[in-house]
Amino acid sequence: MTVLTMTPERIDSLRKRSDQHKFDHGSVLVLSGPATRTGAARLAAMAALRVGAGLVTVGAPRDALPECAAHLTGIMLREVSEALDLSLILAEDQRINALCIGPGFGLEPANGATLRAALATHRAVVLDADALTLMAQDRELFTQLHGGCVLTPHAGEFRRLFPGLGEDGDGFTLDEKKDATQRAADLSGAVVLYKGAQTTIAAPGCPATVLDTTSEQDAAWLATAGAGDVLAGLVTGLLARGNPPVQAAETGALLHAMAAREAGPGLIAEDLPQQIPGIYRRLGI
Ligand SMILES: NC(=O)C1=CN([C@@H]2O[C@H](COP(=O)(O)OP(=O)(O)OC[C@H]3O[C@@H](n4cnc5c(N)ncnc54)[C@H](O)[C@@H]3O)[C@@H](O)[C@H]2O)[C@@H](O)CC1
Ligand SMILES: Nc1ncnc2c1ncn2[C@@H]1O[C@H](COP(=O)(O)OP(=O)(O)O)[C@@H](O)[C@H]1O
């Protein structure tokens, strides 16, 4: 079984060189839901910026702009009210190289069209939360997935998106979870990161890797609202920095668990991105 670790190569890939500028570290666009539902996207955006993406923008519907503007400083803001807005932004700004769609996004039918527009550009994209539920409801969207996609389902989302592959009432053994994750990656053509105390990650045609934190008290505190949104942001930031999808998923999961260890019991989602500077310092980055 391949167990994930922070190898010297992985640590090296996280460094920034002195001859690089912000555009060398990639540009992220995180799509937000409407007013009163922007928190999840903002958590993901903060994580993407902390992990080292050069620029991060939240794309929010018109009614959510004041709420986002009141909370964002280093993170930029653009209006994305419909699929056409997204298509125009992505056509105009080729530097946006990684998207995050799903946290707090909403399940309105128009959001399916926005998701379709994102997939059509073949940009690297993390699909989490509501994006996964939208794809479970509209199988045509599922067929648009490509090798630059990373899916980050929790057990409920996995069950909805991959009927027949998810956990039944008795739960999964680790081998069963690995097997299901591999099959899901093969079926979708995307990288699948199946969340939980035992996180399993697979790319199409490759055996799943495992990050097992079942014996860690600190990691158990990741069972808190928004922790998954932070993970989605970490992976998106790593995609923007040029990591291949499976490596972005693996390194993101490792940093997420390290952030839980660093923050410890009592942690909430907001604490996690703030742990990244200390983690990087200790890793010698
Ligand atoms: N700060 C915020 O604004 C937050 C917003 N959130 C957003 O809230 C929306 C709904 O997401 P949810 O995941 O709560 O709801 P969902 O309704 O999408 O999924 C929850 C369902 O899945 C089942 N389930 C099975 N295994 C589960 C597991 N391991 N973890 C969680 N649920 C499991 C639950 O019993 C429940 O029926 C998403 O847009 C999400 O991004 C959440 O991420 C929490 C934080
Ligand atoms: N008991 C646990 N031990 C370790 N990690 C956990 C545990 N419970 C949840 N997590 C992690 O916390 C995150 C929760 O994500 P998710 O269920 O999507 O919540 P949310 O949508 O509220 O952000 C995932 O990365 C998951 O792996």
Side-chain angles (χ1 to χ4, degrees), residues 154 195-197 199 213 219-220 222-229 231 256:
H154 59 51
K195 294 185 285 199
T199 292
T213 59
L222 286 171
T224 179
D229 307 322
L231 176 68
H256 194 241

Short mmCIF file of all heavy atoms in Angstrom, two decimals, residues 154 195-197 199 213 219-220 222-229 231 256, ligand 2:
data_model
loop_
_atom_site.label_atom_id
_atom_site.label_comp_id
_atom_site.label_asym_id
_atom_site.label_seq_id
_atom_site.Cartn_x
_atom_site.Cartn_y
_atom_site.Cartn_z
N HIS A 154 -16.87 13.90 0.04
CA HIS A 154 -16.98 13.18 1.31
C HIS A 154 -17.87 11.96 1.04
O HIS A 154 -18.34 11.76 -0.10
CB HIS A 154 -17.46 14.06 2.45
CG HIS A 154 -18.80 14.72 2.30
ND1 HIS A 154 -19.96 14.06 1.96
CD2 HIS A 154 -19.18 16.03 2.47
CE1 HIS A 154 -20.98 14.89 1.94
NE2 HIS A 154 -20.53 16.11 2.21
N LYS A 195 -12.57 11.80 0.81
CA LYS A 195 -12.19 12.35 2.11
C LYS A 195 -12.60 11.44 3.26
O LYS A 195 -13.39 10.52 3.11
CB LYS A 195 -12.86 13.72 2.29
CG LYS A 195 -12.35 14.75 1.32
CD LYS A 195 -12.91 16.14 1.56
CE LYS A 195 -14.33 16.31 1.13
NZ LYS A 195 -14.72 17.74 0.96
N GLY A 196 -12.05 11.76 4.43
CA GLY A 196 -12.38 11.03 5.65
C GLY A 196 -11.13 10.86 6.49
O GLY A 196 -10.05 11.32 6.12
N ALA A 197 -11.27 10.21 7.64
CA ALA A 197 -10.10 9.96 8.50
C ALA A 197 -9.07 9.13 7.74
O ALA A 197 -7.86 9.27 7.95
CB ALA A 197 -10.54 9.24 9.76
N THR A 199 -8.07 9.05 4.05
CA THR A 199 -8.27 9.69 2.75
C THR A 199 -7.58 8.85 1.69
O THR A 199 -6.42 8.47 1.85
CB THR A 199 -7.70 11.13 2.78
OG1 THR A 199 -8.50 11.92 3.66
CG2 THR A 199 -7.71 11.76 1.40
N THR A 213 -5.29 9.02 9.09
CA THR A 213 -5.11 9.79 10.33
C THR A 213 -6.03 9.28 11.44
O THR A 213 -6.31 10.02 12.39
CB THR A 213 -5.39 11.30 10.07
OG1 THR A 213 -6.73 11.44 9.60
CG2 THR A 213 -4.43 11.90 9.06
N ALA A 219 -6.35 15.38 14.07
CA ALA A 219 -7.03 15.27 12.78
C ALA A 219 -8.52 15.07 12.96
O ALA A 219 -9.33 15.51 12.13
CB ALA A 219 -6.42 14.14 11.96
N ALA A 220 -8.91 14.42 14.07
CA ALA A 220 -10.34 14.19 14.31
C ALA A 220 -11.09 15.52 14.40
O ALA A 220 -12.30 15.58 14.15
CB ALA A 220 -10.53 13.37 15.59
N LEU A 222 -10.82 17.84 12.40
CA LEU A 222 -11.17 18.28 11.03
C LEU A 222 -12.66 18.05 10.74
O LEU A 222 -13.17 18.56 9.74
CB LEU A 222 -10.31 17.55 9.99
CG LEU A 222 -8.85 18.00 9.91
CD1 LEU A 222 -8.05 17.07 9.02
CD2 LEU A 222 -8.75 19.45 9.42
N ALA A 223 -13.31 17.29 11.60
CA ALA A 223 -14.76 17.11 11.44
C ALA A 223 -15.46 18.38 11.92
O ALA A 223 -16.08 18.40 12.98
CB ALA A 223 -15.21 15.88 12.22
N THR A 224 -15.32 19.44 11.16
CA THR A 224 -15.89 20.75 11.49
C THR A 224 -16.25 21.45 10.18
O THR A 224 -15.55 21.27 9.17
CB THR A 224 -14.87 21.59 12.30
OG1 THR A 224 -15.45 22.86 12.59
CG2 THR A 224 -13.57 21.82 11.56
N ALA A 225 -17.35 22.21 10.20
CA ALA A 225 -17.85 22.83 8.97
C ALA A 225 -16.78 23.69 8.30
O ALA A 225 -16.17 24.55 8.96
CB ALA A 225 -19.07 23.68 9.28
N GLY A 226 -16.55 23.45 7.04
CA GLY A 226 -15.62 24.27 6.27
C GLY A 226 -14.24 23.66 6.09
O GLY A 226 -13.45 24.15 5.27
N ALA A 227 -13.92 22.60 6.84
CA ALA A 227 -12.60 21.99 6.71
C ALA A 227 -12.39 21.45 5.28
O ALA A 227 -11.29 21.54 4.72
CB ALA A 227 -12.41 20.86 7.72
N GLY A 228 -13.46 20.93 4.70
CA GLY A 228 -13.35 20.41 3.32
C GLY A 228 -13.19 21.54 2.31
O GLY A 228 -12.52 21.37 1.28
N ASP A 229 -13.79 22.67 2.59
CA ASP A 229 -13.64 23.82 1.70
C ASP A 229 -12.18 24.28 1.68
O ASP A 229 -11.64 24.64 0.63
CB ASP A 229 -14.56 24.97 2.14
CG ASP A 229 -16.00 24.51 2.29
OD1 ASP A 229 -16.44 23.69 1.46
OD2 ASP A 229 -16.68 24.94 3.24
N LEU A 231 -9.60 22.31 2.25
CA LEU A 231 -8.85 21.31 1.47
C LEU A 231 -9.00 21.59 -0.03
O LEU A 231 -8.01 21.55 -0.78
CB LEU A 231 -9.37 19.90 1.78
CG LEU A 231 -8.73 18.80 0.94
CD1 LEU A 231 -7.25 18.62 1.28
CD2 LEU A 231 -9.47 17.48 1.11
N HIS A 256 -3.14 19.62 4.72
CA HIS A 256 -4.40 19.76 5.47
C HIS A 256 -4.26 19.03 6.82
O HIS A 256 -4.58 19.60 7.88
CB HIS A 256 -5.50 19.13 4.62
CG HIS A 256 -6.89 19.43 5.03
ND1 HIS A 256 -7.77 18.44 5.40
CD2 HIS A 256 -7.60 20.58 5.11
CE1 HIS A 256 -8.95 18.98 5.68
NE2 HIS A 256 -8.87 20.28 5.50
N1 LIG B 2 -12.53 12.19 11.82
C1 LIG B 2 -11.76 12.76 10.89
N2 LIG B 2 -10.44 12.51 10.87
C2 LIG B 2 -9.66 13.10 9.94
N3 LIG B 2 -10.10 13.94 8.99
C3 LIG B 2 -11.40 14.21 8.97
C4 LIG B 2 -12.30 13.64 9.90
N4 LIG B 2 -13.52 14.10 9.62
C5 LIG B 2 -13.41 14.92 8.57
N5 LIG B 2 -12.14 14.98 8.17
C6 LIG B 2 -11.60 15.77 7.06
O1 LIG B 2 -12.17 17.09 7.15
C7 LIG B 2 -12.66 17.50 5.89
C8 LIG B 2 -14.18 17.63 5.96
O2 LIG B 2 -14.69 17.96 4.70
P1 LIG B 2 -16.26 17.98 4.38
O3 LIG B 2 -16.90 16.74 4.90
O4 LIG B 2 -16.37 18.28 2.95
O5 LIG B 2 -16.78 19.18 5.26
P2 LIG B 2 -17.24 20.65 4.87
O6 LIG B 2 -18.11 20.55 3.65
O7 LIG B 2 -18.02 21.12 6.05
O8 LIG B 2 -16.04 21.46 4.60
C9 LIG B 2 -12.17 16.49 4.89
O9 LIG B 2 -10.90 16.85 4.39
C10 LIG B 2 -12.03 15.20 5.73
O10 LIG B 2 -11.06 14.32 5.22
#
